[in-house]
CSV table of all heavy atoms in Angstrom, one decimal:
chain,number,residue,atom,x,y,z
A,1,SER,N,86.3,109.3,78.9
A,1,SER,CA,85.8,110.6,78.3
A,1,SER,C,86.9,111.6,78.3
A,1,SER,O,86.8,112.5,77.5
A,1,SER,CB,84.7,111.0,79.4
A,1,SER,OG,85.2,111.6,80.5
A,2,GLN,N,87.9,111.6,79.1
A,2,GLN,CA,88.9,112.5,79.1
A,2,GLN,C,88.4,114.0,79.5
A,2,GLN,O,89.1,115.0,79.2
A,2,GLN,CB,89.8,112.6,77.9
A,2,GLN,CG,90.3,111.2,77.4
A,2,GLN,CD,90.8,111.3,76.1
A,2,GLN,OE1,91.3,112.3,75.5
A,2,GLN,NE2,90.9,110.1,75.4
A,3,ALA,N,87.2,114.0,80.1
A,3,ALA,CA,86.6,115.3,80.4
A,3,ALA,C,86.4,115.6,81.9
A,3,ALA,O,86.1,116.7,82.3
A,3,ALA,CB,85.1,115.3,79.8
A,4,GLU,N,86.9,114.5,82.7
A,4,GLU,CA,86.7,114.8,84.1
A,4,GLU,C,88.0,114.2,84.8
A,4,GLU,O,88.7,113.3,84.3
A,4,GLU,CB,85.5,114.1,84.7
A,4,GLU,CG,84.2,114.6,84.4
A,4,GLU,CD,83.1,114.0,85.1
A,4,GLU,OE1,83.2,112.8,85.4
A,4,GLU,OE2,82.0,114.6,85.2
A,5,ALA,N,88.3,114.8,86.0
A,5,ALA,CA,89.3,114.3,87.0
A,5,ALA,C,88.7,114.1,88.3
A,5,ALA,O,87.8,115.0,88.6
A,5,ALA,CB,90.5,115.1,86.8
A,6,TYR,N,89.2,113.3,89.1
A,6,TYR,CA,88.6,113.0,90.5
A,6,TYR,C,89.6,113.2,91.5
A,6,TYR,O,90.6,112.5,91.6
A,6,TYR,CB,87.9,111.7,90.6
A,6,TYR,CG,87.0,111.5,89.3
A,6,TYR,CD1,87.4,110.4,88.4
A,6,TYR,CD2,85.9,112.2,89.2
A,6,TYR,CE1,86.7,110.2,87.3
A,6,TYR,CE2,85.1,111.9,88.0
A,6,TYR,CZ,85.5,110.9,87.1
A,6,TYR,OH,84.8,110.6,86.0
A,7,LYS,N,89.5,114.2,92.4
A,7,LYS,CA,90.3,114.4,93.5
A,7,LYS,C,89.9,113.4,94.6
A,7,LYS,O,88.9,113.6,95.2
A,7,LYS,CB,90.3,115.9,94.0
A,7,LYS,CG,91.0,116.9,93.1
A,7,LYS,CD,90.8,118.2,93.7
A,7,LYS,CE,91.4,119.3,92.8
A,7,LYS,NZ,91.2,120.7,93.4
A,8,GLN,N,90.8,112.4,94.9
A,8,GLN,CA,90.6,111.5,95.9
A,8,GLN,C,90.6,112.1,97.3
A,8,GLN,O,91.3,113.0,97.5
A,8,GLN,CB,91.5,110.3,95.8
A,8,GLN,CG,91.3,109.5,94.3
A,8,GLN,CD,90.3,108.4,94.6
A,8,GLN,OE1,89.1,108.7,94.9
A,8,GLN,NE2,90.8,107.2,94.4
A,9,PRO,N,90.1,111.4,98.3
A,9,PRO,CA,90.4,111.9,99.6
A,9,PRO,C,91.9,112.0,100.0
A,9,PRO,O,92.3,112.9,100.8
A,9,PRO,CB,89.8,110.7,100.5
A,9,PRO,CG,88.6,110.3,99.6
A,9,PRO,CD,89.1,110.4,98.3
A,10,ILE,N,92.7,111.1,99.4
A,10,ILE,CA,94.2,111.2,99.6
A,10,ILE,C,94.6,112.6,99.2
A,10,ILE,O,95.5,113.2,100.0
A,10,ILE,CB,94.8,110.2,98.7
A,10,ILE,CG1,94.6,108.7,99.3
A,10,ILE,CG2,96.4,110.4,98.7
A,10,ILE,CD1,95.1,107.7,98.4
A,11,PHE,N,94.2,113.2,98.2
A,11,PHE,CA,94.6,114.5,97.8
A,11,PHE,C,94.4,115.5,98.9
A,11,PHE,O,95.3,116.3,99.1
A,11,PHE,CB,93.8,114.9,96.6
A,11,PHE,CG,94.0,116.4,96.1
A,11,PHE,CD1,95.2,116.6,95.2
A,11,PHE,CD2,93.3,117.4,96.5
A,11,PHE,CE1,95.4,118.0,94.8
A,11,PHE,CE2,93.6,118.7,96.2
A,11,PHE,CZ,94.6,119.0,95.2
A,12,TYR,N,93.3,115.5,99.5
A,12,TYR,CA,93.0,116.4,100.7
A,12,TYR,C,93.8,116.0,101.9
A,12,TYR,O,94.2,117.0,102.6
A,12,TYR,CB,91.5,116.5,101.0
A,12,TYR,CG,90.8,116.9,99.7
A,12,TYR,CD1,90.3,116.0,98.7
A,12,TYR,CD2,90.5,118.3,99.5
A,12,TYR,CE1,89.7,116.5,97.5
A,12,TYR,CE2,89.9,118.7,98.4
A,12,TYR,CZ,89.5,117.9,97.4
A,12,TYR,OH,88.9,118.3,96.3
A,13,GLY,N,93.9,114.8,102.2
A,13,GLY,CA,94.8,114.3,103.3
A,13,GLY,C,96.2,114.9,103.1
A,13,GLY,O,96.8,115.5,104.0
A,14,LEU,N,96.8,114.8,101.9
A,14,LEU,CA,98.2,115.3,101.6
A,14,LEU,C,98.2,116.9,101.7
A,14,LEU,O,99.1,117.4,102.2
A,14,LEU,CB,98.6,114.8,100.2
A,14,LEU,CG,98.9,113.4,100.1
A,14,LEU,CD1,99.2,113.0,98.7
A,14,LEU,CD2,100.3,113.1,101.1
A,15,GLY,N,97.2,117.4,101.2
A,15,GLY,CA,97.0,118.9,101.3
A,15,GLY,C,97.0,119.6,102.6
A,15,GLY,O,97.5,120.6,102.9
A,16,HIS,N,96.5,118.8,103.6
A,16,HIS,CA,96.5,119.3,105.0
A,16,HIS,C,98.0,119.5,105.5
A,16,HIS,O,98.2,120.2,106.4
A,16,HIS,CB,95.8,118.4,105.9
A,16,HIS,CG,94.2,118.6,105.9
A,16,HIS,ND1,93.7,119.6,106.7
A,16,HIS,CD2,93.3,118.1,105.1
A,16,HIS,CE1,92.4,119.6,106.5
A,16,HIS,NE2,92.2,118.8,105.5
A,17,PHE,N,98.9,118.7,104.9
A,17,PHE,CA,100.3,118.9,105.3
A,17,PHE,C,101.0,120.0,104.3
A,17,PHE,O,101.6,120.9,104.7
A,17,PHE,CB,101.1,117.7,105.1
A,17,PHE,CG,100.5,116.5,106.2
A,17,PHE,CD1,99.5,115.6,105.7
A,17,PHE,CD2,100.9,116.5,107.4
A,17,PHE,CE1,99.2,114.7,106.5
A,17,PHE,CE2,100.6,115.5,108.4
A,17,PHE,CZ,99.6,114.5,107.8
A,18,SER,N,100.9,119.7,103.0
A,18,SER,CA,101.8,120.4,102.1
A,18,SER,C,101.5,121.9,101.9
A,18,SER,O,102.4,122.6,101.7
A,18,SER,CB,101.6,119.7,100.7
A,18,SER,OG,100.2,119.8,100.2
A,19,ARG,N,100.2,122.2,102.1
A,19,ARG,CA,99.8,123.7,101.9
A,19,ARG,C,100.2,124.6,103.1
A,19,ARG,O,100.5,125.8,103.0
A,19,ARG,CB,98.3,123.8,101.7
A,19,ARG,CG,97.8,125.2,101.4
A,19,ARG,CD,98.5,125.9,100.3
A,19,ARG,NE,98.1,127.4,100.2
A,19,ARG,CZ,97.1,127.8,99.7
A,19,ARG,NH1,96.2,127.1,99.1
A,19,ARG,NH2,96.7,129.1,99.7
A,20,PHE,N,100.3,124.0,104.3
A,20,PHE,CA,100.5,124.6,105.5
A,20,PHE,C,101.8,124.5,106.1
A,20,PHE,O,102.3,125.6,106.8
A,20,PHE,CB,99.4,124.2,106.6
A,20,PHE,CG,98.0,124.4,106.1
A,20,PHE,CD1,97.2,123.4,105.4
A,20,PHE,CD2,97.3,125.7,106.2
A,20,PHE,CE1,96.0,123.7,104.9
A,20,PHE,CE2,96.1,125.9,105.8
A,20,PHE,CZ,95.4,124.9,105.1
A,21,ILE,N,102.5,123.5,106.0
A,21,ILE,CA,103.8,123.1,106.5
A,21,ILE,C,104.7,123.6,105.5
A,21,ILE,O,105.3,122.9,104.6
A,21,ILE,CB,104.1,121.7,106.9
A,21,ILE,CG1,102.9,121.2,107.9
A,21,ILE,CG2,105.4,121.5,107.6
A,21,ILE,CD1,103.0,119.7,108.1
A,22,LEU,N,105.1,124.9,105.6
A,22,LEU,CA,105.9,125.5,104.4
A,22,LEU,C,107.4,125.2,104.6
A,22,LEU,O,107.9,124.8,105.7
A,22,LEU,CB,105.7,127.0,104.4
A,22,LEU,CG,104.3,127.6,104.2
A,22,LEU,CD1,104.3,129.0,104.3
A,22,LEU,CD2,103.7,126.9,103.1
A,23,PRO,N,108.2,125.3,103.5
A,23,PRO,CA,109.6,125.0,103.5
A,23,PRO,C,110.2,125.9,104.7
A,23,PRO,O,110.0,127.1,104.9
A,23,PRO,CB,110.1,125.5,102.1
A,23,PRO,CG,109.0,125.3,101.3
A,23,PRO,CD,107.7,125.6,102.1
A,24,GLY,N,111.1,125.2,105.4
A,24,GLY,CA,111.8,125.9,106.6
A,24,GLY,C,111.1,125.7,107.9
A,24,GLY,O,111.5,126.2,109.0
A,25,SER,N,109.8,125.1,107.9
A,25,SER,CA,109.2,124.8,109.1
A,25,SER,C,109.9,123.9,110.0
A,25,SER,O,110.4,122.9,109.5
A,25,SER,CB,107.8,124.3,108.8
A,25,SER,OG,106.9,125.2,108.1
A,26,VAL,N,110.0,124.2,111.4
A,26,VAL,CA,110.5,123.3,112.3
A,26,VAL,C,109.5,122.6,113.1
A,26,VAL,O,108.7,123.1,113.6
A,26,VAL,CB,111.4,124.2,113.2
A,26,VAL,CG1,112.2,123.4,114.2
A,26,VAL,CG2,112.5,125.0,112.4
A,27,ARG,N,109.8,121.2,113.3
A,27,ARG,CA,108.9,120.5,114.0
A,27,ARG,C,109.0,120.7,115.5
A,27,ARG,O,110.2,120.9,116.0
A,27,ARG,CB,109.1,119.0,113.8
A,27,ARG,CG,108.1,118.1,114.6
A,27,ARG,CD,108.2,116.6,114.1
A,27,ARG,NE,109.4,115.9,114.4
A,27,ARG,CZ,109.5,115.2,115.6
A,27,ARG,NH1,108.6,115.2,116.4
A,27,ARG,NH2,110.7,114.7,115.7
A,28,LEU,N,107.8,120.8,116.2
A,28,LEU,CA,107.8,121.1,117.6
A,28,LEU,C,107.3,120.0,118.3
A,28,LEU,O,106.7,119.0,117.7
A,28,LEU,CB,106.9,122.4,117.9
A,28,LEU,CG,107.1,123.6,117.1
A,28,LEU,CD1,106.1,124.6,117.4
A,28,LEU,CD2,108.6,124.1,117.5
A,29,ASP,N,107.5,119.8,119.7
A,29,ASP,CA,107.0,118.8,120.5
A,29,ASP,C,105.5,119.0,120.8
A,29,ASP,O,105.1,120.1,121.1
A,29,ASP,CB,107.8,118.7,121.8
A,29,ASP,CG,107.3,117.5,122.6
A,29,ASP,OD1,107.6,116.4,122.2
A,29,ASP,OD2,106.7,117.8,123.6
A,30,VAL,N,104.7,117.9,120.4
A,30,VAL,CA,103.2,118.1,120.7
A,30,VAL,C,102.8,116.7,121.1
A,30,VAL,O,103.3,115.6,120.5
A,30,VAL,CB,102.6,118.6,119.4
A,30,VAL,CG1,102.6,117.6,118.3
A,30,VAL,CG2,101.2,118.9,119.8
A,31,ARG,N,101.8,116.7,122.0
A,31,ARG,CA,101.3,115.4,122.5
A,31,ARG,C,99.7,115.4,122.6
A,31,ARG,O,99.1,116.5,122.9
A,31,ARG,CB,101.8,115.0,123.9
A,31,ARG,CG,103.4,115.2,124.1
A,31,ARG,CD,104.1,114.0,123.3
A,31,ARG,NE,105.4,114.2,123.3
A,31,ARG,CZ,106.4,113.7,124.1
A,31,ARG,NH1,105.8,113.0,125.2
A,31,ARG,NH2,107.6,113.9,123.9
A,32,ALA,N,99.2,114.4,122.4
A,32,ALA,CA,97.7,114.2,122.6
A,32,ALA,C,97.4,113.1,123.7
A,32,ALA,O,98.2,112.2,123.8
A,32,ALA,CB,97.0,113.7,121.3
A,33,SER,N,96.4,113.4,124.5
A,33,SER,CA,96.3,112.6,125.7
A,33,SER,C,95.5,111.4,125.4
A,33,SER,O,95.3,110.5,126.2
A,33,SER,CB,95.3,113.5,126.7
A,33,SER,OG,94.1,113.8,126.2
A,34,SER,N,95.1,111.2,124.1
A,34,SER,CA,94.4,109.8,123.7
A,34,SER,C,95.1,109.5,122.4
A,34,SER,O,95.4,110.1,121.5
A,34,SER,CB,93.0,110.2,123.4
A,34,SER,OG,92.3,109.0,122.8
């Protein structure tokens, strides 16, 4: 149809990193107990 596009769950998974971890961000030490 060329009238629609579908944002897959992958798009949102990647966005959780790319929108918030801005250029120049430094990784910190973090641990989860599980």
Side-chain angles (χ1 to χ4, degrees):
S1 72
Q2 301 168 30
E4 290 185 335
Y6 313 109
K7 291 181 180 177
Q8 295 274 58
I10 290 172
F11 175 88
Y12 296 88
L14 288 170
H16 275 275
F17 299 94
S18 61
R19 179 61 188 276
F20 301 93
I21 305 172
L22 301 184
S25 297
V26 177
R27 184 168 68 88
L28 306 177
D29 185 67
V30 66
R31 306 292 171 89
S33 62
S34 169

